[in-house]
Amino acid sequence: MANRLLEVEGLAKHFRGGGNWLSSGGDSIRAVDGVSFSVEEGETFALVGESGCGKTTVAKMILLLERPTRGAISFQGKDVSSFRGGSLREYKRLVQAVFQDPYSSLNPRMQVLDIIGEPLRVHQGMRGRDLRMRVGELLENVGLNPVTASFFPHQFSGGQRQRIAIARALALRPRLIVLDEPVSGLDVSIRAQILNLLVDLQRELGLSYLLISHDLAIVEHMSHRVGVMYVGKMVELATRDEFYGNTLHPYSNALLASVPQPDPDVPMGTTIGGEVASPINPPSGCRFHTRCPIYLETNMCREVEPEWREILSEHLTACHKVEPAVV
Amino acid sequence: MANTSMQIVSPTTLWAVRVRSVLGGLRRAPKIPSLVLLVFMIFAAFGQWIAPYSPVAVDMAASFSPPVWHEEGSADHLLGTDKLGRDILSRLIRGARVSLSLSLFVIGLGGGVGVVLGLISGYSGGKVDAVMQRGIEVILAMPTILVALVFVFAVGRSFESVILILSPFLAARFARIVRGETLSVRERDFVAIAKVIGTPTWMILLKHILPNVFNTIIVLATLEVGHLILLESSLSFLGVGVPPPQPAWGLMVADGREFLTSAYWITLFPGLCILAAVLSLNLFGDWLRDTLDPRRRQL
């Protein structure tokens, strides 16, 4: 196994609902409730799930935008919550992000030079000619003309804006980039360009990606390992080939079946009914039992929370109906 | 990467874009409001050499003389005189300095403090925000005129005391509006990215939040100048404004009020000046807002 870059252990985030100092507020929202996974050097780990399953909250905790309620994040073997001063700066240098909406992620009042130059100024105090050189280089790396450094964001298309956001994330030569739905906000026609750019950059620079997406086609194209989340919990984790070839959890099966095939003769797979369960009051036992197609009227699924077990080598899932093959 | 010189972003281009957009913006500046403001600024700066008379020179023989286009009017006093025979035109010219500088000082002091407080309050949220907002509500709940009356009686009537008492009220108004805007801007992704990068908070406020709330500040400032000129006249009317015989437009309106039917010119001309200044500032502010917004610029 390659070197472990990032490890997340039992991570949880509970939001208190609508309270302030006058009223105690409602029930807490358990957006993330005990999630564990790791990202190795040079790999892409994909986190998939329906909207509201807590995958973006996981990303925010890794990026230190939210404080975890429980659990630990460690980076290169060190606990992230213990980082102060210099080590915190180093973490913020090595971990960068690209967000979904390229319109909201670039300050409309800054020239591209200042947008891409911000991390370089903050961390390396770079300015003048050095800064312009480096920004020009970064723009070329993401396939934009260095002349555009004097432009403002509104002068670019969505795809070009996302390239600028990627250039900014690359500026400090990070180890890990969190990609939160990096192409969902783009036209289908340019998604492939951006994805290929990301794959090329990973190969050239040895980057690790934490890819957050609900699009299973993109995940199959880009990732090495896949984790599936449902209502704040991880339900399955496997290598890409295992996941797409030998899915174990009924929720993962349902997700895969709901991907439309570009062939009119292939019948549409069975989709699961019902709504995503609410994280305010998650179902008892297995959280998926309210929608599960293989759920039987045993009390097991309804009352006992399934264990997170390794079923095959490097293939984990949490389901009562799946029996381990390796012991 | 065959050609390294290609990678250098030319500094001249960067500046050319900025300079060109400023020049382009200037060419589209509204002509009449700019002219009006320019004239008032010249009056404010060089009034003592432009005004034909001293603004405080009393000439009882010439009291209530009407403007030049009336039959009884004379070319000595183009816009007539008030009840003490002081030349209206001279008082208008010299009054520009008092009215404009009062507004500028209050906007600068009160508005500046208000913007800083609003940014901090909106960006930090939580308890800091709650405490600051309650403080602001207390100030906004107080009747401006009444508090000003008490304050000016306590510390004495002067130009400075009027600035000092009006500034907190303006700061509260600015803080409240800037806070609201900050709340929406801080949720934008570029602020989250800046935090991920590790940009210091003061720099996030200065480079990311402030430029994006600047539109609102400009519009508010231009609106408040008008409001302040009117407030100054209310205070003058109540006898706690800028002390006479200093000429201020609001004070002149107040002076002429009792002669409105017999000598309208004492009130009309300073009133027109207030109208022109407020209207010009609003139009000018609109243009400034559009010019500062890169999306509205046509490059």
Side-chain angles (χ1 to χ4, degrees):
Chain A
M1 195 179 274
N3 278 335
R4 188 151 291 182
L5 185 66
L6 181 92
E7 185 157 19
V8 168
E9 188 70 50
L11 200 63
K13 177 74 193 179
H14 299 176
F15 293 103
R16 281 232 311 280
N20 57 26
W21 61 282
L22 278 176
S23 66
S24 58
D27 300 314
S28 68
I29 298 165
R30 291 149 84 173
V32 179
D33 210 6
V35 166
S36 305
F37 63 90
S38 65
V39 183
E40 317 294 327
E41 290 271 8
E43 82 161 353
T44 300
F45 183 85
L47 214 49
V48 298
E50 284 168 282
S51 47
C53 72
K55 47 195 199 301
T56 296
T57 309
V58 170
K60 282 188 171 170
M61 286 189 277
I62 290 169
L63 295 169
L64 308 183
L65 295 172
E66 296 280 359
R67 197 186 295 272
T69 310
R70 269 189 291 108
I73 302 166
S74 50
F75 186 75
Q76 294 176 334
K78 281 171 261 156
D79 184 9
V80 169
S81 65
S82 72
F83 287 170
R84 300 281 182 277
S87 53
L88 188 64
R89 277 177 69 85
E90 186 65 2
Y91 182 72
K92 285 178 177 275
R93 183 177 83 76
L94 292 174
V95 180
Q96 297 295 326
V98 175
F99 287 161
Q100 172 174 7
D101 180 3
Y103 291 86
S104 167
S105 69
L106 306 181
N107 186 340
R109 291 179 174 265
M110 278 188 176
Q111 282 176 306
V112 170
L113 176 83
D114 296 319
I115 291 171
I116 299 177
E118 181 176 348
L120 297 165
R121 283 205 176 99
V122 168
H123 281 266
Q124 298 168 353
M126 206 185 260
R127 33 199 173 89
R129 192 170 183 276
D130 290 347
L131 184 75
R132 293 194 306 273
M133 277 281 278
R134 180 79 179 115
V135 169
E137 220 174 86
L138 286 162
L139 282 169
E140 283 202 333
N141 286 350
V142 297
L144 291 172
N145 190 331
V147 171
T148 58
S150 61
F151 291 4
F152 285 91
H154 72 277
Q155 293 168 287
F156 295 92
S157 69
Q160 289 171 321
R161 282 162 168 256
Q162 203 62 318
R163 285 171 191 269
I164 294 168
I166 292 167
R168 171 175 57 189
L170 291 175
L172 296 168
R173 305 181 208 278
R175 300 306 312 148
L176 174 69
I177 300 184
V178 175
L179 304 167
D180 189 354
E181 306 269 11
V183 294
S184 307
L186 303 178
D187 289 346
V188 180
S189 54
I190 44 176
R191 285 185 182 177
Q193 290 175 18
I194 298 293
L195 292 174
N196 289 334
L197 171 69
L198 288 168
V199 171
D200 290 346
L201 289 168
Q202 178 169 46
R203 203 173 305 131
E204 276 169 41
L205 306 169
L207 294 165
S208 300
Y209 290 145
L210 173 59
L211 173 69
I212 292 180
S213 182
H214 62 267
D215 187 331
L216 287 164
I218 286 167
V219 169
E220 185 171 10
H221 178 68
M222 280 196 67
S223 66
H224 301 99
R225 289 191 304 139
V226 183
V228 182
M229 281 182 73
Y230 184 75
V231 197
K233 284 213 178 272
M234 193 79 97
V235 295
E236 183 160 6
L237 194 160
T239 59
R240 178 192 51 192
D241 295 342
E242 263 290 304
F243 181 77
Y244 283 89
N246 179 26
T247 328
L248 294 175
H249 197 280
Y251 178 63
S252 313
N253 270 319
L255 277 184
L256 283 171
S258 65
V259 176
Q261 298 298 320
D263 180 351
D265 296 330
V266 175
M268 194 64 190
T270 44
T271 52
I272 39 172
E275 296 260 325
V276 184
S278 158
I280 296 174
N281 190 11
S284 59
C286 174
R287 292 187 176 193
F288 189 56
H289 84 254
T290 50
R291 300 167 77 190
C292 186
I294 60 169
Y295 162 72
L296 296 172
E297 291 300 321
T298 56
N299 292 339
M300 187 88 153
C301 288
R302 203 170 52 237
E303 283 165 12
V304 183
E305 198 169 318
E307 211 183 320
W308 180 235
R309 294 176 301 176
E310 188 159 15
I311 305 296
L312 297 160
S313 163
E314 285 188 59
H315 193 159
L316 294 86
T317 191
C319 180
H320 292 305
K321 310 286 289 182
V322 181
E323 287 309 317
V326 287
V327 179
Chain B
M1 296 180 201
N3 184 357
T4 33
S5 66
M6 263 292 285
Q7 293 165 21
I8 306 175
V9 177
S10 141
T12 43
T13 326
L14 289 164
W15 280 103
V17 169
R18 286 176 197 164
V19 168
R20 213 186 314 144
S21 65
V22 169
L23 290 181
L26 275 180
R27 227 178 295 124
R28 277 188 294 278
K31 302 211 167 40
I32 295 172
S34 309
L35 192 71
V36 169
L37 290 177
L38 190 69
V39 168
F40 283 153
M41 279 191 282
I42 291 171
F43 283 175
F46 309 110
Q48 62 253 56
W49 296 292
I50 298 170
Y53 297 92
S54 159
V56 292
V58 175
D59 179 6
M60 292 310 282
S63 67
F64 294 122
S65 65
V68 64
W69 53 86
H70 281 252
E71 272 174 38
E72 317 91 277
S74 80
D76 291 345
H77 300 287
L78 290 176
L79 296 180
T81 61
D82 65 6
K83 68 174 172 186
L84 298 174
R86 294 176 294 194
D87 184 48
I88 299 282
L89 181 63
S90 302
R91 287 178 67 75
L92 283 180
I93 292 172
R94 300 296 296 274
R97 172 178 288 184
V98 178
S99 294
L100 292 184
S101 59
L102 183 102
S103 309
L104 285 182
F105 277 121
V106 177
I107 296 273
L109 186 68
V113 170
V115 167
V116 172
L117 292 180
L119 284 175
I120 293 172
S121 176
Y123 187 74
S124 39
K127 289 205 177 70
V128 177
D129 183 40
V131 169
M132 287 173 82
Q133 288 310 307
R134 294 304 85 75
I136 285 165
E137 275 158 20
V138 167
I139 295 179
L140 287 177
M142 291 197 279
T144 316
I145 302 269
L146 197 66
V147 173
L149 270 172
V150 174
F151 181 82
V152 173
F153 277 130
V155 304
R157 187 175 180 179
S158 71
F159 185 71
E160 291 78 14
S161 59
V162 174
I163 290 173
L164 276 182
I165 192 56
L166 291 182
S167 293
F169 289 102
L170 201 79
R173 296 165 73 98
F174 268 76
R176 163 131 292 190
I177 289 177
V178 168
R179 170 199 176 250
E181 287 282 300
T182 304
L183 284 179
S184 86
V185 175
R186 74 161 188 191
E187 297 303 325
R188 310 258 293 271
D189 284 346
F190 58 80
V191 176
I193 291 276
K195 287 187 203 165
V196 169
I197 288 169
T199 307
T201 305
W202 65 267
M203 215 195 255
I204 293 180
L205 288 174
L206 204 68
K207 294 240 171 134
H208 290 293
I209 311 267
L210 185 61
N212 283 290
V213 300
F214 209 71
N215 280 348
T216 316
I217 296 174
I218 291 288
V219 173
L220 193 61
T222 51
L223 287 173
E224 287 297 326
V225 170
H227 188 211
L228 283 169
I229 292 177
L230 297 176
L231 252 178
E232 177 265 318
S233 58
S234 312
L235 291 177
S236 299
F237 180 71
L238 292 168
V240 292
V242 178
Q246 272 196 74
W249 293 343
L251 189 65
M252 292 170 71
V253 172
D255 272 351
R257 211 188 57 109
E258 46 188 310
F259 312 110
L260 205 51
T261 48
S262 57
Y264 68 86
W265 55 88
I266 306 177
T267 318
L268 178 69
F269 298 117
L272 283 178
C273 281
I274 293 173
L275 177 73
V278 173
L279 194 61
S280 302
L281 274 162
N282 280 319
L283 293 169
F284 195 78
D286 282 350
W287 163 78
L288 198 59
R289 182 196 59 206
D290 293 348
T291 305
L292 293 174
D293 187 343
R295 277 161 300 191
R296 304 256 211 136
R297 271 184 219 153
Q298 293 152 13
L299 290 169

